[in-house]
């Protein structure tokens, strides 16, 4: 037997239905007329960022689900949908036509959007009986159970202040709870006004008995001819997804097929690990709270003391890493140049107890300071965050001033990037924060060093060289006591192995590079007799949960992501760039010369699909290698460069370059290139 499942709100994404609208132009036109806006524009491009709003998300999902089902069909024995998805199940069962269903969903979305002022949160890793007992405390009287998705995934609803208090209490008790990004208490008593108004709206429509059995969310039983009352109840009652799936499993061997998503399939997979009960029992509802018989109740303290053997995401990776950096996960969102890793990203991550770094590379000192002030204005409770420190080979004084700025604002963690040796600035940052507590050296200023070569990793795993320590002491930057302490510990306790990625790397293969540096670490720790183990993490190409899992299987203490974060709302890049990156696959990148290391032939991984940059950049490098001066390049090619590449005359471009270098105090470089290219008059 087969059950077809339709996902609900939360499964929407920009680009959905892209392959469907061309095949169903009539339905697209009807939908746009009923809704009063272009449904394809909303689903595929979402230019006004409306897909996250209930009144737009619900009609959009209904339309895309309906078109996908119409394309695939599949002759199901049963139909089921999660919340909004139930309307698609009823449509597929012949209870109403496409237009009627869309009108119902449009009104439902509008009414639920209007019932704002509440919130929701997902409670994880505890079962329904445990949660019911916890919520029996009178202080949680305002909280309702909204979704029972799986044995260990339950969603609660309530007033915003009630949800916030619950989240705080549960986190204190080490109960996993995640606030959801919604502004209403869906599937709760707080939707009563919406349900009442929807009941009145339903009176004008005729709905017929399903031709294929449809399982009701609120009853976990098949619909009969009484459809309208159940649809109204669905707005205020919890989604009993787990019970519904258990009911279907009792029918015999069942294939569950999901339309347009995998969210429900994952839930079914978890539910299916549990045995099928011999009799499907349904619990009554009281004020929308599921309750148990008295004999089932247990002491909360007893329940909380029971061991949980399931591996959770926060259990993976190094405990010491999480403790030292005050982060919930052994996961880091790495820095990205010129504030692409923005202050908004840093703040959002920190509020979720996750570590990230501001992308200070390419920023002016004043801009860095402005960003630090903005971050510290919001983050005042020891939340985890740090700053990128990008090695500046050309202007070391800028690197040093950046460190001085970090010290001024008590930045306690930096991500050291592109370093080929230990510089005075880097050493000053680390040593200036050293102190002894009960005879143990403590580094208050911590460094996570990103490396792609073993010899660089060795530098960071070793104590700071004596010649640099002497320079710091001679310039009275640190004390003699701090110099002595620096000889006892490595430059960094955290090494991030950077395999092939979108930054300056050596195209290292993680399967080769990580074990090599782990082995190096073991030898250096033994050689220097450190009092604790240096941690080694992995970065580069980690853009999926599977990739992260592979890193941890290989023994990585933590993982770091970069390029994948450019698609986030908080990333400081344009929507155009985010759209381009969102739609690429693994084959859509290539290598191009690095702008800051062009003459050396260093290359970085860049986007290939939909842009001309890599082909043009590589062409420029070929010309650079082939000809000794600009004048040697054939006139026809020079004309093409000025017209298609530079969009300006070369003399003007060269003048702009000279002005830039003079402004930066780098006149020696101008003289070098004037001689080399024989452009002196």
């Amino acid at each position: 037997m087969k059950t077809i499942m339709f996902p609900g709100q939360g499964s929407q994404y920009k680009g959905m239905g892209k392959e469907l609208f061309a095949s169903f132009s009539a339905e697209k036109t009807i939908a746009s007329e009923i809704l009063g806006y272009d449904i394809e524009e909303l689903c595929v491009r979402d230019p006004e960022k409306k897909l996250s709003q209930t009144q737009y998300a619900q009609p959009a999902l209904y339309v895309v689900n309906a078109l996908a089902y119409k394309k695939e069909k599949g002759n199901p024995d049963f139909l089921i949908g999660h919340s909004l998805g139930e309307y698609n199940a009823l449509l597929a069962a012949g209870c109403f036509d496409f237009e009627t269903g869309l009108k119902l969903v449009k009104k439902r979305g509008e009414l639920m959007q209007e019932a704002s002022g509440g919130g929701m949160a997902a409670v994880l890793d505890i079962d329904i009986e445990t949660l019911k007992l916890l919520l029996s405390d009178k202080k949680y009287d305002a909280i309702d159970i909204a979704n029972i998705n799986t044995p260990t995934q339950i969603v609660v609803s309530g007033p915003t202040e009630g949800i916030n208090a619950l989240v705080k209490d549960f986190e204190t008790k080490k109960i996993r709870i995640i606030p959801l990004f919604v502004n209403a208490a869906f599937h709760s008593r707080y939707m009563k006004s919406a349900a009442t108004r929807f009941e009145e709206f339903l009176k004008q429509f005729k709905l017929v008995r399903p031709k294929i059995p449809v399982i009701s969310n609120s009853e976990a039983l098949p619909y009969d001819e009484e459809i309208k009352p159940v649809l109204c109840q669905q707005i205020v009652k919890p989604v009993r997804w787990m019970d519904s799936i258990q009911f279907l499993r009792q029918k015999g061997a069942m294939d569950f097929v999901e339309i347009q998503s995998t969210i429900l399939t994952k839930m079914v997979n978890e539910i299916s690990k549990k045995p099928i009960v011999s009799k499907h029992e349904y619990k009554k509802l009281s004020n929308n709270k599921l309750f148990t018989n008295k004999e089932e109740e247990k002491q909360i303290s007893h329940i909380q003391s029971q061991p949980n053997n399931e591996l959770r995401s926060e259990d993976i990776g190094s405990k010491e890493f999480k403790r030292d950096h005050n982060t919930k996960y052994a996961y880091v969102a790495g820095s990205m140049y010129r504030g692409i890793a923005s202050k908004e990203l840093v703040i959002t991550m920190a509020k979720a107890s996750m570590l990230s770094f501001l992308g200070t590379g390419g920023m002016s000192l004043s801009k860095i300071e402005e960003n630090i002030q903005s971050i510290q204005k919001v983050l005042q409770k020891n939340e985890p965050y740090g700053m990128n420190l990008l090695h500046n080979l050309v202007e070391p004084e800028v690197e040093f001033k950046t460190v001085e700025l970090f010290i001024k604002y008590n930045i306690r963690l930096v991500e050291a990037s592109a370093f080929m040796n230990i510089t005075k600035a880097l050493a000053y940052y680390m040593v200036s924060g050293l102190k002894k507590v009960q005879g143990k050296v403590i580094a208050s200023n911590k460094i996570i060093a990103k490396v792609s070569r073993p010899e660089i990793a060795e530098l960071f795993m070793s104590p700071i060289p004596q010649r640099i320590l002497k320079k710091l002491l001679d310039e009275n930057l640190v004390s003699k006591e701090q110099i002595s302490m620096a000889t006892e510990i490595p430059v960094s306790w955290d090494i991030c192995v950077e395999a092939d990625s979108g930054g300056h790397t050596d195209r290292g293969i993680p399967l080769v590079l990580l074990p090599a540096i782990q082995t190096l670490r073991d030898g250096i720790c033994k050689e220097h007799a450190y009092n604790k183990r240096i941690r080694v993490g992995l970065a580069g190409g980690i853009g999926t949960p599977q990739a992260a899992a592979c890193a941890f299987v290989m023994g990585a203490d933590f993982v770091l992501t970069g390029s994948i974060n450019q698609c986030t709302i908080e990333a400081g890049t344009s929507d155009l760039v985010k759209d381009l990156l969102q739609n690429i696959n693994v084959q859509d990148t290539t290598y191009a010369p690095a702008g800051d290391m062009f003459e050396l032939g260093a290359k970085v991984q860049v986007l290939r699909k939909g842009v001309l940059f890599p082909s043009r950049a590589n062409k420029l490098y070929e010309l650079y290698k082939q000809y000794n001066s600009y004048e040697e390049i054939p006139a026809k090619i020079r004309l093409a460069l000025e017209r298609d590449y530079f969009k300006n005359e070369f003399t003007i471009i060269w003048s702009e370059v000279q002005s830039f270098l003079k402004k930066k105090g780098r006149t020696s470089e101008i003289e070098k290139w004037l001689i080399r290219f024989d452009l002196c008059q």
Side-chain angles (χ1 to χ4, degrees), residues 591-594 597-603 613-627 633 641 645-646 676:
Y591 292 91
M597 303 174 84
F598 184 85
E599 298 86 352
L600 300 176
K603 292 194 173 186
F613 172 78
S615 59
R616 289 180 171 178
N618 282 308
K619 179 64 176 177
L620 286 174
Y621 186 69
E622 289 174 11
L623 294 172
Y624 169 76
K625 294 290 288 183
Q626 185 175 355
Y627 300 99
I633 300 174
L641 291 177
Y645 287 37
F646 303 137
R676 181 161 183 178

Side-chain angles (χ1 to χ4, degrees), residues 26 49 80 176 231 233 257 266 372 403 421 426 448 503 525-526 552 631:
K49 312 297 182 189
I80 189 172
R176 291 185 70 200
L231 287 179
Q233 291 173 18
V257 179
K266 292 176 182 177
I372 291 174
V403 162
N421 51 55
L426 194 64
I448 294 182
C525 285
K526 185 176 181 180
F552 287 119
E631 283 73 11

Side-chain angles (χ1 to χ4, degrees), residues 384-404:
Y385 72 93
M387 300 286 141
N388 174 237
L389 180 62
L390 183 65
H391 178 43
N392 196 323
L393 182 64
V394 178
E395 298 176 283
E397 66 279 1
V398 173
E399 182 183 309
F400 195 85
K401 289 178 181 177
T402 304
V403 162
E404 288 181 319

Side-chain angles (χ1 to χ4, degrees), residues 528-542:
H528 291 279
Y530 293 139
N531 60 9
K532 66 177 183 178
R533 177 173 168 270
I534 294 172
R535 297 176 290 252
V536 177
L538 183 63
I542 300 176

